[in-house]
Amino acid sequence: MDWLGKCLVSSDKSGLELAGDMFKGMFVGAAAGAAGAWAGGAVAGSITAGGFINGSLSGLAGGFGGGFVGCSGNAWLSGAGFGAGLKAGFVGGALSAAFSGLSGGLIRGFTDMAKGDSFWDGRTTSEFVIGNSIEKTDYKAMGDNYNDSFIAELNDESLKTRIQGEYSIKEGDLGIEKITTRTGERYGMTTKESYVNLKNGHEVAGYADLSSTGRSSKIHISPKYANALDVADFRAVAGHELIHAYHQYTFAGAFVRASSESVAYRYSANIYLRASQPVKAFQWMQNAVNQRFFWHSSSYEIPNIYRFR
């Protein structure tokens, strides 16, 4: 006799009663799993941050939902009163939420970190580096002063208008939540109004702040390039960072930075070639080659619907 037959014979309950309990348990388990998956997925889908924050919050929600339904359901099926069932559900949900929140946060955090993103929020930046700054200036103070100025407001509005005119892209498109000339975190500003990475001293024309969820990005273009009289300088930097935002939005967790950089650098070089500036074109292609950003799959090509030119 197989194991199921032995269980039915040896149980204190009749075979039909035991089978009924088994099916009830299966139903509760399925309902708990569905509730946990729905709650966790709903929370994960509403959070723009990735990393530990995303994993822990979605884990908390999924763990509580599954634990509450499972524990309260089993308690009621065992004959517990309504209040006792609710209490069992809250206790079980809390314990499950604590475990799932911690484990989910660690898993998502380390997964994003392995891809080069932040452990805590899954963010990364892609910079358009133009050299190393050697000014004897308090870059952070310069940046803070600029960020609080009225001219920053004017430059931001001018940049948004210029990007929409050149590329038909505005805030809200492609998951872009902000287009700005302000420095942002970890950056200062030179007297030439380009950015400086405060950690490594790189002079930066612009950068894209990207989320591993693909639902949030911020485009920072330094005032020097946002207001560039040479349209090639503006397009080479602004289009470069918009390409990263498009790729992160399109591929999200499957985003491959090397492929995105390959497309973006080729775009910038082509802009300078068309503007009869071969020295700058060679410079950016040399940068790409030095960083091994020289190949990308065809899926990373930009559709013609976007006006990158």
Side-chain angles (χ1 to χ4, degrees), residues 1 57 64 81 90 94 101 105 117 127 139 149 166 171 185 194 200 202 206 233 299:
M1 183 180 295
L57 291 179
F64 182 82
F90 279 115
D117 302 332
E127 302 174 339
Y139 301 120
S149 69
E166 288 287 338
E171 289 181 345
E185 296 180 7
S194 55
N200 56 30
H202 288 165
D233 284 333
S299 62

Side-chain angles (χ1 to χ4, degrees), residues 114-251:
K115 297 186 297 182
D117 302 332
S118 166
F119 171 85
W120 294 109
D121 60 8
R123 301 196 76 88
T124 188
T125 57
S126 178
E127 302 174 339
F128 197 109
V129 179
I130 54 178
N132 291 307
S133 185
I134 57 175
E135 292 181 359
K136 302 299 182 181
T137 303
D138 187 341
Y139 301 120
K140 186 178 187 308
M142 287 279 294
D144 290 343
N145 290 336
Y146 173 79
N147 293 342
D148 295 334
S149 69
F150 178 66
I151 194 65
E153 292 285 347
L154 296 179
N155 283 341
D156 279 5
E157 292 306 313
S158 176
L159 174 62
K160 294 172 189 176
T161 299
R162 195 171 188 181
I163 284 180
Q164 186 166 9
E166 288 287 338
Y167 302 102
S168 295
I169 292 175
K170 61 184 184 299
E171 289 181 345
D173 296 339
L174 305 178
I176 300 172
E177 64 179 66
K178 181 182 290 186
I179 295 173
T180 182
T181 61
R182 288 174 164 87
T183 59
E185 296 180 7
R186 302 186 302 277
Y187 291 88
M189 185 172 288
T190 71
T191 56
K192 298 178 293 184
E193 294 194 321
S194 55
Y195 297 146
V196 176
N197 184 316
L198 297 174
K199 183 176 181 180
N200 56 30
H202 288 165
E203 186 177 0
V204 177
Y207 70 94
D209 183 350
L210 308 168
S211 168
S212 62
T213 63
R215 292 186 294 274
S216 171
S217 62
K218 299 175 184 178
I219 302 299
H220 295 257
I221 308 298
S222 67
K224 177 180 178 180
Y225 285 85
N227 298 323
L229 296 178
D230 185 343
V231 69
D233 284 333
F234 170 77
R235 290 175 179 169
V237 176
H240 187 106
E241 304 308 340
L242 289 172
I243 286 172
H244 292 318
Y246 165 79
H247 285 147
Q248 185 73 311
Y249 178 77
T250 301
F251 297 102

